[in-house]
Amino acid sequence: AQRVTQPEKLLSVFKGAPVELKCNYSYSGSPELFWYVQYSRQRLQLLLRHISRESIKGFTADLNKGETSFHLKKPFAQEEDSAMYYCALTRGGKLIFGQGTELSVKP
Amino acid sequence: DAEITQSPRHKITETGRQVTLACHQTWNHNNMFWYRQDLGHGLRLIHYSYGVHDTNKGEVSDGYSVSRSNTEDLPLTLESAASSQTSVYFCASNSKGISTDTQYFGPGTRLTVL
């Protein structure tokens, strides 16, 4: 069965520290993976997708098919990065989400 | 500007009552989705639609129904509300046939069932 796992419910770091939000998936086939972000009192929005190989707000994510992972990384965290982050994969146009990781960046 | 809206934003109801949550999008997207967001579970798909008169069950569809009579709207109905359905509900939409297309989310409806 297709599944997305985010092992950390909460990740707390200090401003300027590196950040890695973990995401592992199980999928039979070639997955299409995304990171969505939800800032406080705002709606969920796309942060990045693996096919674009882009860096958004300093975040990057590399698809590792061998380890079935799609970890989200940022070298220097900022306070405005504090939010809820969801990893997701798409199957037939539908999104399957992980449980989410709350990132808290302290000053 | 095109957008996706949900109403009401907050709703308190009693066990056993029928409740309908509205979702309206002006992007002319064919695909629309309903999710519920719960701590420890992330977002889970309730129902989805790929076009007018098309509806499909998602992962947690029991106790919910949807209908799609036009492109813009996908109302979600709780037939007989239960306390387990207390949650935040999000509607989303995207383009037809493009699996990698971004899903655009509404602002959410916080539902409390007493």
Side-chain angles (χ1 to χ4, degrees):
Chain A
Q2 291 82 2
R3 182 178 296 175
V4 177
T5 302
Q6 294 178 248
E8 304 140 328
K9 287 185 178 180
L10 173 65
L11 185 62
S12 184
V13 301
F14 287 102
K15 177 183 174 181
V19 171
E20 182 178 67
L21 287 80
K22 297 190 188 313
C23 172
N24 290 92
Y25 66 90
S26 61
Y27 186 81
S28 54
S30 297
E32 295 166 354
L33 286 149
F34 305 80
W35 277 98
Y36 278 80
V37 61
Q38 186 179 28
Y39 300 102
S40 179
R41 301 185 185 280
Q42 295 187 27
R43 63 185 71 191
L44 209 67
Q45 58 186 286
L46 178 69
L47 181 61
L48 54 79
R49 66 189 96 182
H50 88 273
I51 62 167
S52 301
R53 294 184 173 274
E54 57 200 344
S55 174
I56 303 294
K57 299 183 179 182
F59 284 97
T60 59
D62 292 320
L63 179 61
N64 186 323
K65 292 186 178 181
E67 296 183 356
T68 60
S69 68
F70 187 56
H71 302 329
L72 184 68
K73 300 177 182 179
K74 184 169 183 176
F76 307 104
Q78 303 299 314
E79 290 180 68
E80 56 265 30
D81 296 328
S82 294
M84 196 74 178
Y85 292 81
Y86 290 97
C87 182
L89 64 80
T90 185
R91 176 172 62 89
K94 305 183 297 295
L95 284 172
I96 299 172
F97 286 91
Q99 301 92 326
T101 297
E102 182 181 355
L103 174 63
S104 174
V105 181
K106 299 181 178 180
Chain B
D1 288 344
E3 62 174 348
I4 181 166
T5 57
Q6 294 181 235
S7 62
R9 296 293 312 278
H10 302 272
K11 175 77 175 178
I12 300 174
T13 191
E14 295 177 343
T15 301
R17 288 189 180 269
Q18 184 181 79
V19 177
T20 297
L21 309 183
C23 175
H24 179 79
Q25 53 94 5
T26 57
W27 279 301
N28 201 35
H29 285 162
N30 278 299
N31 302 339
M32 295 185 73
F33 309 85
W34 272 105
Y35 298 90
R36 60 177 288 174
Q37 182 185 41
D38 303 287
L39 277 176
H41 292 280
L43 281 84
R44 293 178 291 177
L45 184 64
I46 305 172
H47 281 286
Y48 59 100
S49 168
Y50 288 148
V52 177
H53 302 311
D54 175 74
T55 61
N56 305 278
K57 294 182 178 180
E59 178 187 357
V60 289
S61 61
D62 286 350
Y64 303 95
S65 63
V66 293
S67 61
R68 189 89 180 272
S69 58
N70 58 53
T71 300
E72 296 81 14
D73 300 288
L74 186 70
L76 176 71
T77 297
L78 285 69
E79 304 293 344
S80 177
S83 57
S84 60
Q85 294 177 307
T86 293
S87 186
V88 180
Y89 292 85
F90 287 97
C91 179
S93 70
N94 71 356
S95 301
K96 176 181 180 179
I98 305 175
S99 62
T100 57
D101 190 36
T102 300
Q103 284 195 16
Y104 294 90
F105 283 79
T109 294
R110 185 174 295 274
L111 177 68
T112 302
V113 182
L114 301 176

